[in-house]
Each structure stands twice: as structure tokens, then as C-alpha cells.
């Protein structure tokens, strides 16, 4: 399993893309997707919602369990991935590409996000 070097990671297993024009993309890691099992339902934050770093902003339901979705940053949601709502299996098949979850205009980025190497060490993968 390879964690893309250009992303930053939270200890709750979300990833954050590089910020472009103040907006970043959020998803869950391949490690988290594998641990969840087959994702069958995704409840994502809505456009215009404010999310807060470290707080619940949605949930993912799999054949194994229901898992809260945490935001790695504070800001306003600018897009939610309707493709994932329509086909939640994208979270498993393409967690770093088509399985992204939402985009957020960042108001505050916490200082505790991990690099790819730090996340690999943290997650044991």
C-alpha cells in the first residue's frame, strides 16, 4: 500500500490534498477503506456546511460497520462527491482518485497533519 507523497494525513485516516486557491480535497486513506470493508453508504457534508478539524462531518457505512467521517481541517465545504454518494464502492476502489469525499475552503489547517512517511509509520503500513 502506497500513500501519495503530495498528500497530508490525519490520525483519523483522512487525507488532504494540496491547497489550490484556498480549497483542498478530502478523502479517506486506502488503509481506512480496507479496514472498513466494502463501503455501501456515504453521508457527506453538504455544500455550504462548515466543518471543524477533528470533528465529525459525515459517515461511511460498510458491510462490517459504520464509521464517522472526520474533517482534517476547518472551513466551508465547496463540493461533495456525488459519484461517491451514488456509488460508495469508489471509496474502496479509488480512495485517492475518484473516491474523494468533499472539497473545503480552508479557514484553518491544524499543525498535526502527517506526511505520507509519518502516516505510513503511524498506521503500520
Amino acid at each position: 500500500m502506497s500513500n501519495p507523497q503530495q498528500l497530508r494525513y490525519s490520525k483519523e485516516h483522512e487525507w488532504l490534498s494540496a491547497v489550490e486557491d484556498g480549497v483542498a480535497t478530502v478523502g479517506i486513506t486506502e488503509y481506512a477503506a480496507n479496514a472498513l470493508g466494502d463501503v455501501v453508504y456515504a453521508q457527506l457534508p453538504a455544500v455550504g456546511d462548515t466543518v471543524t478539524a477533528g470533528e465529525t462531518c459525515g459517515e461511511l457505512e460498510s458491510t462490517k460497520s459504520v464509521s464517522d467521517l472526520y474533517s482534517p481541517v476547518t472551513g466551508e465545504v465547496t463540493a461533495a462527491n456525488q459519484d461517491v454518494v451514488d456509488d460508495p464502492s469508489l471509496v474502496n476502489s479509488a480512495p485517492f482518485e475518484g473516491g474523494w469525499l468533499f472539497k473545503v475552503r480552508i479557514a484553518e489547517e491544524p499543525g498535526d497533519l502527517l506526511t505520507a512517511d509519518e502516516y505510513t509509520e503511524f498506521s503500520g503500513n
Side-chain angles (χ1 to χ4, degrees):
M1 184 176 333
S2 177
N3 297 304
Q5 291 292 320
Q6 74 275 18
L7 303 177
R8 293 293 170 256
Y9 301 85
S10 75
K11 290 185 176 179
E12 287 80 25
H13 307 287
E14 281 83 25
W15 58 262
L16 179 76
S17 72
V19 178
E20 192 172 307
D21 295 328
V23 176
T25 303
V26 175
I28 68 165
T29 65
E30 184 176 5
Y31 172 83
N34 288 339
L36 272 172
D38 295 333
V39 177
V40 296
Y41 173 77
Q43 182 217 333
L44 305 178
V47 172
D49 284 356
T50 298
V51 294
T52 303
E55 293 190 9
T56 303
C57 63
E59 69 179 30
L60 297 173
E61 184 177 327
S62 72
T63 54
K64 292 181 182 179
S65 67
V66 175
S67 180
D68 287 332
L69 174 63
Y70 296 91
S71 179
V73 294
T74 297
E76 181 181 342
V77 176
T78 62
N81 190 347
Q82 187 62 43
D83 290 342
V84 165
V85 173
D86 295 341
D87 181 7
S89 70
L90 287 171
V91 171
N92 299 104
S93 64
F96 296 115
E97 294 91 24
W100 63 273
L101 301 176
F102 63 95
K103 295 184 183 223
V104 59
R105 181 168 304 285
I106 297 178
E108 181 182 340
E109 183 176 330
D112 62 351
L113 293 177
L114 307 173
T115 65
D117 292 339
E118 290 168 336
Y119 179 75
T120 298
E121 185 176 322
F122 169 77
S123 64
N125 289 315

